Amino acid sequence: MSDSRHADRRRARRRRPSPDSRATGSRRFPVTGWVTLVAAAAVLGATVTVVIVNRPPAAAPPVANAAPVSAEVTLETSLWKSRKVAKATAQVEHTPLELGTRFKAARDGEVAGMRFYKPAAERGTHRGSLWDSEKKLLAKVTFTGESGSGWQQAMFDKPVPIVAGRVYTVSYHTKNGGYVASPGVFDDPVRSGPLTGQAGVFAPAAKSSFPSRVHSKRVSYWVDVIFRHRERRHFPRPTGRPTGDPTAVPTTGDPSVTPTPEGSATPTGGVTVSPTATGTGSPSPSSPVTSTPESSPTRSHNSDPSESPSASGTPKPSASPTPKASGSGTPRPSLSANPTNQPTKVPSATPKPTQTPTPPPTGGFPGAGDTGVPAGVSLKESKSITITKDGTVIDGLEISGEINVQADDVTIRNTRLAAAPGEWGIIQRSGHSGLTVEDTEIFGNGKQRTQFGIINQGGDLTVRRVDIHTISNGILTEQGLIEDSYIHDPKYYSGDHTDMIMCTSGPPSGATLVIRGNTVINTLEQTGAVALFQDFGVVRNVTVEGNFLAGGGYTVYGGAGAKGTSSNIKVVGNVFSKDVWAKGGYNGPVAYWDKNGAGNEWKNNVWEDGKTVPEGG
């Protein structure tokens, strides 16, 4: 899963016919000749992502005219965007069907999985398949944990290598015969990065079978492929990192003073290992405290960070994934930003003088090659762990489940955590402080939601050289230090709001939150890479410095909100990338930036080409 990465920054969007070029009103697109159509919705657009991997150790952001540095990257591409909805038709034939998309790739690579768009009326089990041009079945998968409607995704047990230029078909089988269709989508080939979608295909079939028939109206049945390939890219070489405010560095959690028991290569006293991973995000029954957070940090927030928290804590989707009825049946891309997601305009403050950064040694941003468990480290298998002894060190484990920290000054290092579906991978409980997580990888299974990689309910937290991916949200903390880490590839599940690093209120008095030298990439069009929200209080004393940032609805949410004016928020010396979206984030690089907040600074933030990212975007 750690190889799951992003797509081409120069993504080629397919040409779309204008809405006026398509007939309106009720349409009939029978795949076999007996179907009745009902207005509904389908998804249009191209999904593209890019992830930086195998790069030199983390250092500083680039400046204009800096010499480039090359890096081998893994790119992941699909034909269509995950959540933007346009008009189409939902249909039920009440007969078994195989529905798919015929495609080819311009590069050698591998198919990791597939997706299909599900109408609200569709029922039953769905099985996905990948076929070559000779009708040979290359891979199959059963979809699990499906939502009521919208995009459904499943990953093959092993990625399947495919050859550039050869034709393949990805398809799914429905016993009920319910699906979403749009005419004219394949009037021209659909292109996204190296992928070309050639045609929608179908077959009446009692069980999974190769679909070869093409409707005369060039219908798309909204079946998508998840394709990966390797490519060498050139990036500006960082030549300096602003020093920022020296008072913004946390005063606790320094690993040099963290108590480390002797002979602590494996968990020792105070650690409870459950006999099995429960998969629920809850500690084992032997845990001396309840697994329920004292104050729930898992509340999904609206894109408006000023919204008060939901009393129930239930995630609220920003846009319904359920297709909406329309009388026109005219497919039309929905590319404009949701008006409710627009930032509140704040009057500009007098610009602060630019401070020349102090140049450190040159280098790159962190990626898969210099985060996570170092090469050569042997790992011992373990299940979920609950830690109750201060100063415990977890070192060299391969854990399936969770790590529940109910002690102070705990260190987790050289550990690979396959987080069970549920709330978190690692949690530091309320009333405890000093957790350090370093040289560790945390990830979900990609099929069932893991809500957070790391949740901090307590005091100081240090995260260093950690690789977090394939989860809904990366790290939630109000204080501490996150540095030299690689946080990327979130997975969307119905109702999610996805943030790679999130703070939902200001740190306690005297504490700070520093986010520096990280690669942070949100490959979705919501919510953010770094998100400072006023869900539970006014945000203050946060430094976001020297990071590589990309993606999300907005790449950075700057801490403004209805609860008060944020203060001492410093966003300095970061590189904003257009690798995921042309504007940095889907809607832009930053929202909710308080220009008038005391001590707030926005300076030396640049795009990859060295051009300035202006204050407030």
Side-chain angles (χ1 to χ4, degrees):
M1 275 182 260
S2 61
D3 289 333
S4 173
R5 303 297 187 257
H6 311 254
D8 197 333
R9 80 180 63 172
R10 299 184 187 89
R11 51 197 176 91
R13 293 185 181 269
R14 68 180 179 86
R15 288 192 299 110
R16 299 186 180 94
S18 66
D20 294 337
S21 70
R22 299 184 180 179
T24 60
S26 179
R27 303 291 301 270
R28 297 178 66 86
F29 317 122
V31 295
T32 56
W34 59 79
V35 66
T36 301
L37 306 180
V38 184
V43 176
L44 300 173
T47 296
V48 285
T49 53
V50 80
V51 166
I52 307 161
V53 298
N54 301 330
R55 308 216 27 209
V63 296
N65 303 319
V69 59
S70 64
E72 185 85 355
V73 300
T74 298
L75 305 177
E76 183 177 287
T77 310
S78 293
L79 289 168
W80 292 292
K81 233 156 115 60
S82 61
R83 298 182 67 225
K84 292 298 172 183
V85 177
K87 298 170 186 175
T89 52
Q91 314 172 61
V92 180
E93 296 202 21
H94 303 295
T95 188
L97 294 171
E98 189 83 17
L99 303 160
T101 299
R102 186 181 297 160
F103 73 95
K104 65 179 180 180
R107 293 176 174 270
D108 290 347
E110 61 185 25
V111 174
M114 61 169 294
R115 309 187 303 155
F116 77 94
Y117 197 85
K118 176 181 176 180
E122 173 59 1
R123 301 290 183 268
T125 301
H126 302 93
R127 292 179 173 85
S129 301
L130 176 68
W131 316 82
D132 66 12
S133 59
E134 304 297 323
K135 304 182 181 180
K136 179 182 178 182
L137 179 63
L138 303 179
K140 60 183 179 180
V141 65
T142 299
F143 286 80
T144 59
E146 292 186 21
S147 60
S149 63
W151 282 109
Q152 314 299 317
Q153 178 172 301
M155 308 300 286
F156 297 125
D157 288 340
K158 293 182 180 179
V160 181
I162 65 172
V163 179
R166 295 185 183 177
V167 176
Y168 299 86
T169 297
V170 63
S171 65
Y172 75 98
H173 187 264
T174 165
K175 290 183 178 180
N176 186 46
Y179 59 94
V180 173
S182 300
V185 172
F186 288 105
D187 286 345
D188 297 304
V190 176
R191 294 187 172 90
S192 174
L195 288 177
T196 299
Q198 296 181 324
V201 291
F202 69 92
K207 60 182 181 180
S208 294
S209 302
F210 179 77
S212 59
R213 300 173 63 178
V214 178
H215 196 277
S216 60
K217 293 187 180 295
R218 308 296 291 175
V219 171
S220 171
Y221 304 107
W222 302 106
V223 185
D224 207 351
V225 60
I226 301 171
F227 174 69
R228 299 171 183 163
H229 71 283
R230 300 283 291 172
E231 187 174 306
R232 180 161 290 278
R233 290 292 187 83
H234 296 277
F235 302 91
R237 180 181 297 278
T239 57
R241 176 189 292 163
T243 59
D245 183 354
T247 64
V249 179
T251 57
T252 61
D254 185 339
S256 65
V257 297
T258 299
T260 304
E262 294 184 6
S264 56
T266 58
T268 56
V271 180
T272 303
V273 182
S274 62
T276 60
T278 63
T280 63
S282 302
S284 62
S286 59
S287 171
V289 300
T290 177
S291 65
T292 303
E294 287 80 353
S295 59
S296 173
T298 62
R299 185 189 69 80
S300 291
H301 45 76
N302 188 278
S303 295
D304 180 353
S306 66
E307 178 185 281
S308 60
S310 166
S312 64
T314 303
K316 294 182 291 184
S318 59
S320 171
T322 303
K324 297 183 183 299
S326 170
S328 69
T330 304
R332 182 180 294 109
S334 176
L335 298 178
S336 61
N338 186 336
T340 62
N341 293 338
Q342 301 306 307
T344 303
K345 299 298 182 182
V346 180
S348 300
T350 303
K352 298 178 176 61
T354 301
Q355 178 178 334
T356 303
T358 302
T362 61
F365 291 95
D370 43 28
T371 59
V373 180
V377 174
S378 297
L379 302 180
K380 180 180 178 181
E381 289 188 5
S382 175
K383 297 296 185 180
S384 294
I385 293 175
T386 296
I387 301 170
T388 57
K389 182 179 179 181
D390 293 350
T392 296
V393 174
I394 301 295
D395 195 342
L397 292 187
E398 177 99 29
I399 298 175
S400 176
E402 67 169 43
I403 302 177
N404 192 338
V405 178
Q406 303 171 18
D408 293 336
D409 301 320
V410 171
T411 297
I412 301 167
R413 67 165 68 104
N414 299 329
T415 291
R416 192 167 187 265
L417 174 60
E423 300 292 341
W424 53 73
I426 297 175
I427 182 170
Q428 177 172 250
R429 295 288 187 173
S430 179
H432 299 286
S433 184
L435 173 63
T436 295
V437 184
E438 58 188 11
D439 300 307
T440 289
E441 182 181 7
I442 306 168
F443 56 94
N445 63 22
K447 299 178 181 180
Q448 299 160 290
R449 179 195 285 115
T450 298
Q451 190 77 9
F452 288 91
I454 300 174
I455 286 181
N456 179 26
Q457 294 180 328
D460 199 61
L461 169 72
T462 298
V463 177
R464 184 178 291 117
R465 297 181 302 277
V466 172
D467 183 353
I468 301 178
H469 60 91
T470 323
I471 38 71
S472 293
N473 298 273
I475 300 173
L476 171 59
T477 186
E478 315 304 324
Q479 61 182 298
L481 171 65
I482 304 169
E483 67 176 355
D484 300 336
S485 292
Y486 181 33
I487 308 170
H488 60 102
D489 283 288
K491 288 294 182 181
Y492 175 79
Y493 300 90
S494 180
D496 277 352
H497 292 262
T498 52
D499 299 286
M500 300 296 88
I501 300 176
M502 178 166 52
C503 171
T504 55
S505 68
S509 178
T512 60
L513 174 60
V514 177
I515 303 166
R516 69 185 180 203
N518 305 283
T519 296
V520 188
I521 303 178
N522 183 344
T523 52
L524 303 176
E525 66 271 28
Q526 59 84 30
T527 310
V530 173
L532 311 179
F533 293 120
Q534 290 196 10
D535 287 347
F536 303 107
V538 178
V539 180
R540 58 178 67 87
N541 302 331
V542 179
T543 296
V544 181
E545 176 186 32
N547 303 281
F548 184 97
L549 305 173
Y554 290 94
T555 303
V556 171
Y557 281 78
K563 289 185 170 62
T565 303
S566 64
S567 61
N568 198 30
I569 309 296
K570 302 180 187 300
V571 182
V572 293
N574 299 283
V575 177
F576 285 74
S577 171
K578 299 179 181 180
D579 287 338
V580 179
W581 303 114
K583 298 179 182 179
Y586 186 81
N587 298 308
V590 61
Y592 292 91
W593 172 249
D594 239 337
K595 294 182 179 180
N596 293 327
N600 289 355
E601 294 185 38
W602 179 283
K603 63 182 181 183
N604 298 340
N605 297 300
V606 298
W607 298 106
E608 285 183 274
D609 60 5
K611 294 181 180 178
T612 299
V613 179
E615 184 174 10

